[in-house]
Amino acid sequence: MSIQTRTGSAPNSLSLKLRNNWLPILIFAAVVIAVAVLVPSFFQPSNLLNVGRQSAIVGIIAVGMTFVILTGGIDLSVGSILALSGVTTAILINNGLIVPLAVVAGLLVGVAAGVINGVGVAVLKVQPFIMTLATMVAIQGLSLRLTDGGPKSFSNMNAFFDFIGSGNILGIPGPFLVFLVVAVAGILVLRYLAFGRYIYAIGGSMEAARLSGVRTTRTVILAYSISGLCAGLAGVMTAARLGVGDPTAGSLSNLDAITAVVIGGTSLMGGIGGAVGTVFGAILLAILSNVMNLLGISPFDQQIVKGAVIVIAVLIAARAGRRRFRERRSESSKSATTEPKAIPVPADK
């Protein structure tokens, strides 16, 4: 049975994409112009590579978050999952486990947390905000309990572990390359796999997707599992970069990831958006942070600016959602008026 999604039935022309996303594009262009005027040193190759490195962690988390938000949900626990995965990896390495297995364990911790979130939302029918808020607090407490409230340092002699933390290939930062791999995988899954179509269908209407034959419970659990896996990967990479498992790492990662997803054009109501826009949003956030650092703006003031960006992003998403809702309603009305009426068949006597 075919699934019609909000992205699959609309024309895919360049002009339509530009019309639907003109405001984010305008903001990005304005930021680039402002940066060129205020901070010409921003465009030095070394600084651009630094922006790529800065965008990696939030970008990886945001790609996973895109799957969840497309279903109409949200995941507030990704920052805590990041910390727990890093802490788990550090503790296992300190206890003599080889680095590859410790990395796998850190990733599995993220997947397990995602499964718990997915089961709570899809099976127990807990609101996503409440469910992930509860796991955020619980996982954060577990990370602090495992480390007695302080970071756990470890010694690392693994080349791949160094690469995903702070290494590079031909000058290109390793974390940014990992981000690109995750982004490409997310784009391909959402665009070309049946699972991606199911994600969009659930975001459009859970009940309609279920009646169309989509296994909604399994799909939602998988979406949260992907979000947990991406957060776990970000946690392992953060531990590799810092050389410690920090239970407080990623405290604002959930907000940054949500902001990146929304700036990229994904609707918080679900069913509209994609991973391409998320990559754009994550890089834009990294540009803003980098420029503020170059201008010498204090970290406290940077938090104020980020808060304003979150508000602006939500307003943009709400405006785009209302516009697309009106367009879909108009298209539905036109199709209803032009659709031929069925001829009644007299009942047999």
Side-chain angles (χ1 to χ4, degrees):
M1 186 175 295
S2 63
I3 302 293
Q4 286 188 347
T5 69
R6 292 190 232 181
T7 58
S9 58
N12 196 29
S13 65
L14 177 61
S15 61
L16 181 60
K17 288 183 178 180
L18 292 175
R19 181 165 59 86
N20 286 339
N21 299 282
W22 68 270
L23 195 52
I25 293 173
L26 179 62
I27 292 174
F28 182 77
V31 169
V32 171
I33 293 173
V35 168
V37 174
L38 298 174
V39 194
S41 60
F42 172 85
F43 294 97
Q44 293 180 357
S46 59
N47 189 63
L48 292 177
L49 292 175
N50 189 40
V51 171
R53 183 181 292 104
Q54 289 177 334
S55 68
I57 298 299
V58 170
I60 289 171
I61 299 174
V63 170
M65 182 77 74
T66 303
F67 284 80
V68 171
I69 292 181
L70 283 173
T71 66
I74 199 166
D75 190 352
L76 300 178
S77 64
V78 288
S80 297
I81 294 174
L82 180 154
L84 181 60
S85 295
V87 164
T88 301
T89 303
I91 291 175
L92 291 177
I93 291 176
N94 280 338
N95 287 333
L97 189 66
I98 60 175
V99 171
L101 291 181
V103 169
V104 171
L107 298 179
L108 290 178
V109 165
V111 173
V115 170
I116 292 172
N117 284 329
V119 169
V121 171
V123 178
L124 302 180
K125 306 302 180 184
V126 181
Q127 287 290 331
F129 182 91
I130 300 300
M131 184 66 207
T132 58
L133 178 64
T135 52
M136 177 188 75
V137 176
I139 293 172
Q140 185 178 38
L142 179 58
S143 298
L144 293 169
R145 181 69 181 84
L146 290 174
T147 60
D148 294 325
K152 289 288 183 181
S153 60
F154 60 91
S155 58
N156 169 44
M157 300 296 291
N158 185 275
F160 176 75
F161 200 56
D162 284 334
F163 169 73
I164 64 175
S166 56
N168 65 83
I169 293 180
L170 301 177
I172 302 176
F176 183 68
L177 292 176
V178 176
F179 170 36
L180 291 182
V181 171
V182 172
V184 170
I187 292 168
L188 293 178
V189 168
L190 289 174
R191 283 195 174 183
Y192 300 110
L193 295 189
F195 172 71
R197 294 194 294 273
Y198 297 160
I199 290 285
Y200 282 104
I202 290 172
S205 172
M206 176 77 76
E207 184 62 17
R210 185 184 65 81
L211 293 175
S212 299
V214 177
R215 296 181 178 179
T216 55
T217 299
R218 184 175 69 177
T219 302
V220 170
I221 292 175
L222 282 175
Y224 280 91
S225 300
I226 291 172
S227 179
L229 174 62
C230 290
L233 174 59
V236 171
M237 293 170 61
T238 300
R241 178 174 61 87
L242 299 177
V244 298
D246 187 355
T248 62
S251 57
L252 294 177
S253 296
N254 52 355
L255 298 181
D256 288 341
I258 293 170
T259 304
V261 174
V262 174
I263 288 177
T266 298
S267 171
L268 290 173
M269 301 301 292
I272 296 174
V276 174
T278 296
V279 173
F280 156 81
I283 294 176
L284 179 58
L285 282 181
I287 290 174
L288 290 174
S289 295
N290 182 266
V291 168
M292 286 189 290
N293 288 331
L294 292 176
L295 291 175
I297 298 175
S298 76
F300 309 111
D301 293 333
Q302 290 187 28
Q303 295 300 323
I304 296 173
V305 173
K306 285 185 178 181
V309 169
I310 292 174
V311 173
I312 294 171
V314 171
L315 292 176
I316 291 172
R319 184 184 183 281
R322 288 193 299 268
R323 183 180 68 250
R324 291 169 186 173
F325 175 77
R326 289 193 298 267
E327 290 174 354
R328 288 195 302 270
R329 186 170 59 180
S330 176
E331 291 172 0
S332 299
S333 300
K334 290 179 181 178
S335 62
T337 55
T338 57
E339 198 173 82
K341 295 183 178 179
I343 301 175
V345 178
D348 293 335
K349 295 185 178 178

